[in-house]
Amino acid sequence: MSGTYLGMPSFPQAAARSTQDGTLRGNLRHATHTIRDKRAGAVGELEDWARLRAAGAAIKNRTLRHLDHYLEQAEAAVTAAGGQVHWAADADEANRIVTDLVRATGETEVVKVKSMATQETGLNDALAHAGITACETDLAELIVQLGDDLPSHILVPAIHRNRSEIRDIFRERMGAWGRPAPDGLTDEPAALAEAARLHLREKFLRAKVGVSGANFVVAETGTLVVVESEGNGRMCLTLPETLISVVGIEKLVPTWRDLEVFLQLLPRSSTAERMNPYTSMWTGTREDDGPHTFHLVLLDNGRTDTLADTVGRQALRCIRCSACLNVCPVYERAGGHAYGSPYPGPIGAILTPQLRGMAGPLEQSLPYASSLCGACYEVCPVAIDIPEVLVHLRERVVEGGEVTRQGTRVTIRPAKGHAAERAAMRAARWTLDHPAVLRAGQRLASRTRRLHPRRLPGPGRAWTRTRDLPEVPSEPFRDWWDRTRGEARQQGGDGSGKRDGGGERTRGEGGDGR
């Protein structure tokens, strides 16, 4: 693993390799099943979960409809509380702002709270090019960083690693980043956690600059909220003299009353906890408490364009709980790296193509990284209809059409490699509009069914590589229906299929065509 998402192959290519890794699949199966079972128990404790879920979706929808208003309100509140607000149109601008802010302090090392937004922008690499070391402090992110790896899960970035692999990474790499692992380190969870604690404590105590994201921003007061389970976030948010937070513009909630809903939804959906062990909130700066300087970088990076899509915009409701990943059969088998993005799983399959655009083979393949089983929608705490958005994006891949890019409406061309699919859909539409042709085709298919191949040739080869063609019945349903209804009328029946004197439904042979 190279440590960067640049140049990642399309999903089918990456998944073809990852599904052959037995260790990876075993790690994923064990972890995802454990998390989702615990989540089901935590959610089942609340009788009003469905109403909470609806409330969360409604709050997010209202916020997105009036996002311009709430962004300006948040900016004014943060500024009034002593913070400084910066606006970043894209990843490069966000990285440039953060790099300049760190350089202004004269420091060459920062400690980081787990942040999806900075993963999205590639901040660590940008800081490294500027001679600044970014030290991850979340345990799973630390494992990923020490292993020169990439996160593969939103909540548990190192979910693809088992305890033995983590022990080896700590033994081999921890010393290059600071305090080395203790001699004789075992793979016991307590021993691994203690090694990480000792390693990180030195960094916390000397850090002058902290970098974070935020789970929520309360617009009415300019308060930022970070929820976590380890306490590392609390250290990063309170000990440094300067704090820089990079936050996506969709993370706003209007009021504290709205926040209360999400503080119930998020912990149960993510870590299966009734409440997060650490919920840190801060509003601007204080001279006698916490960082003396606070910078908020509000990140767009494709979010405004996504907001312009009336179907796809619901992806911006996401609160990064990862529940959809833990129930997804595709993610469980392919793993997170196959998605080529910091956002893996079902939510990544709809979020990444919208944030980045459909420019490359990877983004064009992601809407197809799903069986459309709907399990993701059932567990989403803010009711994002991921299958609906997947189908919507598939249409965009095949048909092209108008989209918004950098605030401008443009027309994109259909993706290459889908000409046969478009032709097949046009033929199907024409056939369904002509019933006589449809019936003739059905009869022909039934009469020639013994000659049908089990695998399709040409463009259909990929579809039948992992599935058999369904067997064609010996008689089309329409013919069977006409014949059996006709027999019922000849016998004096009314054609309704009522039971005869022997208690059996009247039916003809060839019933396998139903």
Side-chain angles (χ1 to χ4, degrees), residues 409-468:
R409 296 293 288 178
V410 298
T411 300
I412 61 172
R413 298 177 60 84
K416 295 180 179 180
H418 293 271
E421 182 180 352
R422 289 194 295 273
M425 291 298 103
R426 293 191 188 102
R429 180 173 59 191
W430 184 86
T431 302
L432 292 171
D433 283 340
H434 297 78
V437 176
L438 175 62
R439 178 167 289 194
Q442 290 173 332
R443 287 172 177 166
L444 179 63
S446 293
R447 291 169 184 167
T448 60
R449 65 189 189 126
R450 299 185 186 282
L451 304 177
H452 295 175
R454 301 296 296 275
R455 300 284 187 272
L456 288 174
R461 187 182 299 113
W463 193 86
T464 55
R465 186 180 297 129
T466 55
R467 53 178 72 83
D468 291 334

Side-chain angles (χ1 to χ4, degrees), residues 89-105:
D90 54 29
D92 289 341
E93 186 172 8
N95 292 340
R96 189 163 54 249
I97 290 170
V98 176
T99 300
D100 290 344
L101 291 173
V102 177
R103 278 176 168 164
T105 68

Side-chain angles (χ1 to χ4, degrees), residues 56-66 314 317:
I59 292 168
K60 281 289 187 176
N61 285 340
R62 173 163 54 91
T63 307
L64 292 172
R65 281 196 303 271
H66 305 287
Q314 59 186 298
R317 295 205 300 253

Side-chain angles (χ1 to χ4, degrees), residues 184-219:
L185 178 66
T186 69
D187 64 359
E188 289 299 312
L192 296 173
E194 178 66 13
R197 187 178 297 113
L198 294 172
H199 175 81
L200 292 172
R201 185 58 58 95
E202 293 182 353
K203 297 183 182 297
F204 290 138
L205 293 177
R206 70 168 181 257
K208 300 297 182 182
V209 180
V211 175
S212 81
N215 295 97
F216 308 101
V217 179
V218 183

